Amino acid sequence: SPFGRSLVVMRHEQEYEALIAAAKRYAADPSIGVAFVHLNVPHMPYLDKPGIGHLLHSGPNDDLYVDELRWVDNAVAEILSALDQSGLDSRTAVILSSDHPARLVSKLTPYVPFIVHLPGYNAGLPSYREFSALRSADLVLAVAKGEVRSPLDVENFMIK
């Protein structure tokens, strides 16, 4: 907006902050073994905040979506920090997702974040295999039941 930050961006940022606050509470709650967090980033409207923000450049619009992944990184860092500080890192699984890429500009970037932190694992297993996010609810139940225990189990479960 030529008059400052738009109301839509401010509302989107407030929703993001509320999601992170709730996710941090869930991560630090000993009665919760699996926390499923659905993020409202990194798609439009793009957020801008000192320390996170996005780069302002003249590249393709897809670049803004990729820059916006910093908000996802920030969310992961805050949630895992709360989990670590609570001492529940070895007991709590956290699944983070986002619902879609930027619909209007993501011809080059059709991916969305889907991050699974399992108790006892500090290293990641990146996967670029296609899967349906509709399996997320089943994944939460499988993790809670102890049927999915490792990053490889997650990948195999999601691509079934």
Side-chain angles (χ1 to χ4, degrees), residues 46 54-67 105 108-109:
Y46 295 125
H54 63 261
L55 300 175
L56 297 176
H57 51 68
S58 59
N61 285 335
D62 271 2
D63 288 349
L64 290 174
Y65 178 83
V66 172
D67 289 342
V105 297
L108 300 174
T109 312

Side-chain angles (χ1 to χ4, degrees), residues 15-65:
E15 290 170 353
Y16 169 85
E17 296 293 343
L19 283 167
I20 300 308
K24 288 166 59 175
R25 282 193 311 275
Y26 298 147
D29 186 336
S31 69
I32 295 176
V34 180
F36 180 74
V37 181
H38 183 75
L39 300 172
N40 65 343
V41 292
H43 56 75
M44 295 169 55
Y46 295 125
L47 306 178
D48 189 15
K49 183 177 180 183
I52 302 172
H54 63 261
L55 300 175
L56 297 176
H57 51 68
S58 59
N61 285 335
D62 271 2
D63 288 349
L64 290 174
Y65 178 83

